[in-house]
């Protein structure tokens, strides 16, 4: 199934949204397990969730997604790194990439989200798709947790804070209250919304600036 979500555009840059449109998540079949073994990838098991190039997976050349076109992150926190690696070593050179997709990819170069936002969002998005960690890698079909119910608020600088408790916690860890940052409840403010709020903040008018200047000089 496609890994992109409607919430992508609220959290990610145009480039990162576009990359997610070109990868798909899938559950490994017996054939995928055999292919991974022949490609000398680390051992995988039937039903394990992987990510692969959408264009290679649907190509008619019979090869399918192999080599750099497919990977099996061991945990949902590793999906971010796998997608970044896919973007770096495969997408640009993909032989099955349509011309219009390649042109779009080129036009978006230089547009990227902050890594801190990307890392957290990939975890949240995976949970929203029902993915969960096991001792045998990522599995699908778990409880879905909507992205907007995670209680995470991103500032305009890209740093994340809990909407319920303003305290820093490690990725995937727990706060001093014992509550995981991904389990906290409350409203979320996306990076896009934060930028809009920042852009809409009222600026002091010229008269106010002059008045402040006169007051300052009088005090001195």
């Amino acid at each position: 199934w496609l890994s992109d979500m409607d919430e992508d555009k609220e959290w990610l840059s145009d480039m990162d949204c576009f990359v997610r449109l070109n990868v798909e998540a899938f559950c490994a079949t017996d054939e995928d397990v055999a292919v991974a073994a022949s490609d000398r990838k680390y051992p995988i098991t039937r039903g394990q969730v992987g990510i692969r190039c959408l264009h290679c997976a649907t190509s008619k050349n019979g090869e399918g997604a192999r080599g750099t076109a497919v990977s099996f992150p061991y945990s949902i926190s590793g999906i971010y790194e796998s997608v970044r690696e896919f973007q770096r070593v495969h997408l640009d050179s993909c032989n099955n990439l349509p011309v219009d997709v390649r042109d779009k990819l080129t036009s978006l170069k230089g547009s990227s989200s902050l890594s801190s936002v990307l890392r957290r969002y990939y975890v949240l998005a995976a949970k929203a798709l029902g993915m969960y960690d096991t001792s045998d890698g990522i599995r699908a079909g778990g409880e879905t947790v909507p992205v907007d119910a995670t209680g995470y608020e991103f500032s305009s600088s890209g740093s994340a804070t809990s909407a319920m408790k303003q305290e820093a916690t490690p990725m995937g860890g727990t706060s001093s209250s014992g509550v995981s940052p991904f389990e906290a409840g409350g409203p979320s403010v996306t990076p896009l919304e934060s930028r809009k709020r920042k852009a809409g903040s009222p600026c002091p008018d010229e008269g106010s600036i002059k008045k402040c200047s006169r007051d300052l000089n009088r005090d001195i």
Side-chain angles (χ1 to χ4, degrees):
W1 65 97
L2 293 178
S3 62
D4 68 298
M5 300 169 56
D6 291 339
E7 291 84 357
D8 288 2
K9 61 182 178 296
E10 295 294 325
W11 295 79
L12 307 178
S13 69
D14 290 342
M15 168 61 91
D16 293 313
C17 287
F18 186 72
V19 170
R20 283 173 61 85
L21 285 171
N22 290 277
V23 294
E24 66 175 3
F26 68 102
C27 294
T29 62
D30 290 334
E31 181 181 356
D32 294 320
V33 172
V35 169
S38 67
D39 285 349
R40 297 182 180 181
K41 288 184 178 289
Y42 40 84
I44 65 170
T45 58
R46 178 185 173 87
Q48 185 172 341
V49 172
I51 61 171
R52 63 190 176 191
C53 175
L54 177 64
H55 309 288
C56 290
T58 57
S59 67
K60 298 179 180 179
N61 60 17
E63 281 288 322
R66 304 189 64 164
T68 59
V70 61
S71 65
F72 292 87
Y74 187 72
S75 67
I76 58 176
S77 62
I79 297 177
Y80 160 79
E81 295 291 352
S82 294
V83 173
R84 298 301 269 180
E85 184 73 1
F86 162 81
Q87 180 182 357
R88 186 178 67 85
V89 304
H90 178 79
L91 190 56
D92 279 338
S93 58
C94 177
N95 294 325
N96 297 303
L97 201 66
V99 175
D100 60 326
V101 175
R102 190 179 301 280
D103 291 342
K104 180 69 172 179
L105 182 66
T106 301
S107 70
L108 292 174
K109 288 292 177 64
S111 168
S112 182
S113 309
L114 293 175
S115 60
S116 59
V117 173
L118 273 174
R119 285 182 182 277
R120 289 168 175 81
Y121 182 73
Y122 267 99
V123 171
L124 303 180
K127 290 188 175 184
L129 292 171
M131 299 183 194
Y132 61 98
D133 292 336
T134 74
S135 58
D136 292 320
I138 304 172
R139 299 286 163 167
E143 179 184 1
T144 58
V145 182
V147 172
D148 61 1
T150 60
Y152 245 86
E153 176 176 317
F154 282 81
S155 68
S156 58
S157 64
S159 60
T161 57
S162 170
M164 295 297 289
K165 293 185 179 295
Q166 302 294 320
E167 51 186 320
T169 54
M171 171 67 94
T174 58
S175 68
S176 58
S177 62
V179 178
S180 167
F182 299 113
E183 295 173 352
S188 297
V189 177
T190 67
L192 178 60
E193 181 63 23
S194 293
R195 290 195 295 271
K196 288 180 178 179
R197 292 185 181 184
K198 184 176 181 181
S201 298
C203 297
D205 55 38
E206 184 179 357
S208 298
I209 295 176
K210 289 181 178 179
K211 182 179 184 300
C212 289
S213 178
R214 289 196 301 271
D215 291 344
L216 179 61
N217 290 330
R218 184 176 64 251
D219 293 339
I220 293 175

